[in-house]
Amino acid sequence: MLTDSQYILERMSQGCVTLSDDAFVIDRLVKYFGNGKIRWHVEFRGHRIELTTGQLKKQPTFRRKILEQAGVLPPQRAGTDYRRWALDLRKNAIELPWRDRPVDAGFAIDRLTSHGDGRWTVEYQGKAIKFTTTKLRRQVSFRKRMLAKAKVLPPQLDPAAYRKWMDWLIQNATVADPQAGDALVTEKSWLDDLPKLAGWQDETPAKRPAGGGGNM
């Protein structure tokens, strides 16, 4: 059976894609706890790679796991650099209870985009759902809007875990290009949807029938 390093060298000789430091950015690391065990899930380009703590600490094993399941090879780092990188990754992981299965296994947004002035778009399975910063940071509002607009109910997270997750999303959000034509459409769409985002009710009075309001 090939060791991790032998497997990587063999795949490299076959022309596998090796990513640079800038190109290899994981979406998030989730630390699942429960039943006396700790499990780690690396989410990367739509893949969910499960690792133990030991596998996460060993660079050859980590690179092999990503290569096997995501089809690309993470960059080779110096030993001390990798240990520091892996430690920082674990420190900033999102902590969630495992229970019988990951509570968020069926939910992962594709992208969060900032449009400036507290306007955001969550992209989920081909849908673009608009949020204000306030609505995004309130878990109840986020879950309610995702259910209404995307017909999916995100998992209920511990408040601290939700804040960590949302902080991470905002820090890694894509910034919309104001010069792009799509940005203008998005802005108009935002203005149209602003009353709903703010929670205003439609208070437009009903029109009276033509001919005046005579007695019945």
Side-chain angles (χ1 to χ4, degrees):
M1 186 175 182
L2 294 177
T3 65
D4 294 330
S5 297
Q6 289 171 337
Y7 176 84
I8 290 170
L9 289 173
E10 183 177 293
R11 290 294 302 273
M12 288 178 70
S13 68
Q14 296 170 358
C16 72
V17 176
T18 303
L19 299 179
S20 65
D21 285 340
D22 292 337
F24 182 69
V25 180
I26 71 168
D27 299 321
R28 66 173 181 168
L29 177 68
V30 184
K31 177 183 179 181
Y32 292 104
F33 58 90
N35 299 328
K37 294 181 180 180
I38 293 177
R39 304 168 180 85
W40 305 86
H41 277 191
V42 171
E43 295 181 8
F44 174 73
R45 295 185 178 180
H47 298 276
R48 183 183 289 258
I49 299 107
E50 183 173 347
L51 299 163
T52 64
T53 304
Q55 290 171 333
L56 195 56
K57 288 181 177 180
K58 295 176 182 176
Q59 182 171 200
T61 305
F62 174 80
R63 297 178 81 210
R64 176 175 182 166
K65 285 281 190 179
I66 299 293
L67 180 57
E68 285 179 331
Q69 297 187 45
V72 293
L73 183 64
Q76 174 74 44
R77 301 172 187 266
T80 53
D81 287 345
Y82 179 80
R83 285 193 292 273
R84 189 181 304 113
W85 177 82
L87 181 61
D88 288 343
L89 200 63
R90 296 197 303 275
K91 283 182 177 178
N92 292 288
I94 297 167
E95 297 187 9
L96 299 174
W98 177 269
R99 298 176 186 167
D100 295 327
R101 60 191 292 273
V103 294
D104 65 338
F107 180 79
I109 72 169
D110 300 319
R111 184 166 62 171
L112 176 67
T113 301
S114 169
H115 300 280
D117 297 327
R119 298 177 294 125
W120 307 84
T121 299
V122 169
E123 294 181 23
Y124 175 80
Q125 296 187 358
K127 296 182 176 66
I129 301 98
K130 296 180 287 294
F131 285 89
T132 60
T133 302
T134 300
K135 295 290 184 182
L136 202 58
R137 288 192 174 278
R138 289 178 180 167
Q139 182 172 196
V140 172
S141 300
F142 176 78
R143 297 179 80 220
K144 182 178 179 180
R145 188 159 180 79
M146 290 300 298
L147 181 60
K149 296 295 183 179
K151 302 298 184 286
V152 61
L153 183 63
Q156 176 77 47
L157 304 182
D158 175 81
Y162 181 80
R163 285 194 297 271
K164 272 188 182 180
W165 179 63
M166 190 52 63
D167 285 344
W168 185 91
L169 280 180
I170 289 174
Q171 289 170 9
N172 293 277
T174 301
V175 178
D177 182 2
Q179 303 301 321
D182 290 346
L184 297 177
V185 175
T186 301
E187 187 170 352
K188 180 180 184 303
S189 175
W190 260 91
L191 293 173
D192 291 343
D193 204 24
L194 187 58
K196 294 178 183 177
L197 288 171
W200 302 340
Q201 300 297 321
D202 183 2
E203 297 178 353
T204 304
K207 293 183 179 179
R208 293 186 178 182
N215 294 328
M216 296 294 289

